[in-house]
Amino acid sequence: MKNMKKIVCILSTLMLVLCTVGCSVNEEQPAEPRLLLGFSQVGSESAWRIGNTKDIEQAAEDYGVSLMFENANQKQENQIDAIRRFIAYKVDVIAFSPIVEEGWDNVLNEAKEAGIPVILVDRDVSTDAEGLTRCLIGADFYKEGVMAAEYLIRKADSLGLDKVNIVEITGTENSTPMRQRQAGFFDTIKGDDRMVLLESIDGDFLKSRGAECMRSLLGKYGDGIDVVFSHNDEMTLGALPEIEKAGYVPGTDMIIISIDGGQEAIDVLKEGRINCVVECTPKLGKELMETALKLKAGEEVEPLIHPVEEVFSDEQDTSLIAPRGY
Ligand code: GYE
């Protein structure tokens, strides 16, 4: 009996010890994040942007990076404030997608003085001094414009057109994709005498503006429009119902060219109401995390990283296009 008591006592002490060890393991503080990354996003203006945000959040989780995420709601001053907060918080690395190219010198100098490396995501900046940012991870927008124009030239050839009247709905004025998509497109068609630009109009990458712009263009040029070149899917999706309301069939009466390649636009391409969508991938998160970790470790990074992109159009079997994921 005495022995029995002793055994019970030993067993319960053992259980108590095991439980204490187990509990202390469970209560352990989470491991220090490998990196604290401050990221200022432009806004939520498009499926592209929302896909880009999700991709960056997912990549941060996958890489064990602690992300301080700020949405600037389309305002440069909000981005500048966010970057200042990141500096005050002493993050390891700052990343941001600048809404426009100019106006960053002061805040980037502040980051430099604080010794915090800065990564540009998606869009570029134009600064007085060199070396305020470490690298740019984003699409080759010039090439996207070239690919859109090359499609148009092939399409005009196949339809045997001898005059091609173009309207262009551009993205946010002074943003990198707006500038470079426009330059790539017009540099490519400029040697082709058939191509005539009727008007370029600022649609700010927004669906509502795309609709407004298209209404105004249709009011001025009506069926004189042969081609709508729109700098993103959202503006294209805003423009299409306006074309239909005016009595034209997009994709047939007018050639519609878009950029981004989000699922909604690809579905409309499959229906034949868009002719060509140049891909611009928002999936930049993996490159961003890997680059930020290298910078924290004091390693060299590539100054420019472009993802590979393709063209989707009525020249191919569109039923084979895989789900886009944004
Ligand atoms: O094309 C557009 C978005 O900067 C590439 O911004 C990005 C552009 C994209 O709002 O849909």
Side-chain angles (χ1 to χ4, degrees):
M1 190 63 190
K2 211 171 171 196
N3 270 353
M4 192 59 187
K5 259 192 175 167
K6 216 170 171 185
I7 289 170
V8 169
C9 184
I10 291 172
L11 276 178
S12 39
T13 315
L14 204 70
M15 276 171 70
L16 195 73
V17 168
L18 282 176
C19 172
T20 318
V21 170
C23 294
S24 72
V25 167
N26 283 341
E27 278 165 17
E28 225 173 57
Q29 290 302 310
E32 267 281 292
R34 300 164 74 192
L35 171 92
L36 180 55
L37 174 67
F39 176 64
S40 164
Q41 179 61 287
V42 171
S44 326
E45 74 280 7
S46 61
W48 190 100
R49 189 66 55 200
I50 293 163
N52 179 249
T53 296
K54 280 193 192 145
D55 188 66
I56 288 171
E57 285 172 344
Q58 184 59 52
E61 219 179 295
D62 295 346
Y63 280 79
V65 166
S66 169
L67 185 67
M68 275 181 79
F69 179 88
E70 299 255 8
N71 184 330
N73 293 313
Q74 261 61 46
K75 290 207 170 63
Q76 180 171 31
E77 56 270 31
N78 290 347
Q79 290 203 289
I80 293 173
D81 288 348
I83 295 171
R84 293 213 162 107
R85 276 194 295 279
F86 298 151
I87 297 172
Y89 208 82
K90 296 188 169 54
V91 299
D92 298 308
V93 177
I94 292 172
F96 76 115
S97 295
I99 181 159
V100 290
E101 293 189 350
E102 276 85 20
W104 304 101
D105 284 85
N106 289 345
V107 75
L108 289 178
N109 270 306
E110 291 165 28
K112 193 175 179 189
E113 271 158 33
I116 304 176
V118 177
I119 302 174
L120 295 169
V121 178
D122 164 36
R123 300 182 182 180
D124 207 352
V125 293
S126 158
T127 52
D128 296 337
E130 292 283 297
L132 294 180
T133 58
R134 302 295 290 274
C135 63
L136 167 61
I137 304 168
D140 185 343
F141 301 127
Y142 185 86
K143 191 170 166 203
E144 291 171 356
V146 170
M147 293 196 285
E150 286 173 347
Y151 165 81
L152 178 58
I153 293 170
R154 290 195 301 276
K155 184 77 177 173
D157 290 345
S158 75
L159 295 174
L161 302 179
D162 49 20
K163 186 146 185 247
V164 184
N165 289 325
I166 303 165
V167 294
E168 180 191 33
I169 307 179
T170 69
T172 307
E173 218 183 333
N174 297 330
S175 69
T176 315
M178 178 267 156
R179 285 183 168 163
Q180 295 185 358
R181 286 172 181 167
Q182 183 170 65
F185 186 83
F186 288 104
D187 284 353
T188 308
I189 59 167
K190 75 168 175 253
D192 189 323
D193 293 340
R194 296 171 298 176
M195 305 290 168
V196 178
L197 174 68
L198 295 177
E199 189 170 333
S200 259
I201 183 166
D202 177 11
D204 204 14
F205 283 130
L206 299 171
K207 189 172 186 177
S208 56
R209 284 285 302 143
E212 263 173 55
C213 292
M214 197 67 232
R215 266 200 305 278
S216 144
L217 293 165
L218 285 161
K220 282 194 203 166
Y221 308 105
D223 68 355
I225 302 172
D226 300 312
V227 179
V228 179
F229 170 44
S230 151
H231 284 199
N232 85 341
D233 289 347
E234 253 57 40
M235 297 187 297
T236 311
L237 294 166
L240 292 182
E242 299 301 321
I243 298 174
E244 282 156 350
K245 269 188 251 162
Y248 307 110
V249 182
T252 306
D253 297 337
M254 290 178 195
I255 299 167
I256 313 294
I257 303 176
S258 187
I259 302 186
D260 275 355
Q263 191 59 54
E264 199 179 344
I266 294 297
D267 290 343
V268 179
L269 170 76
K270 290 181 180 182
E271 292 166 8
R273 293 159 65 230
I274 293 180
N275 302 85
C276 172
V277 184
V278 176
E279 180 188 32
C280 179
T281 181
K283 295 179 184 163
L284 308 172
K286 180 173 179 286
E287 291 292 354
L288 171 59
M289 298 310 146
E290 288 179 1
T291 308
L293 285 164
K294 278 189 196 157
L295 286 174
K296 188 180 179 189
E299 292 168 27
E300 282 300 308
V301 296
E302 288 289 322
L304 186 62
I305 299 173
H306 283 324
V308 179
E309 299 179 324
E310 55 182 308
V311 177
F312 305 110
S313 79
D314 54 10
E315 299 168 310
Q316 71 194 99
D317 181 353
T318 54
S319 69
L320 299 177
I321 303 172
R324 303 290 302 144
Y326 62 98

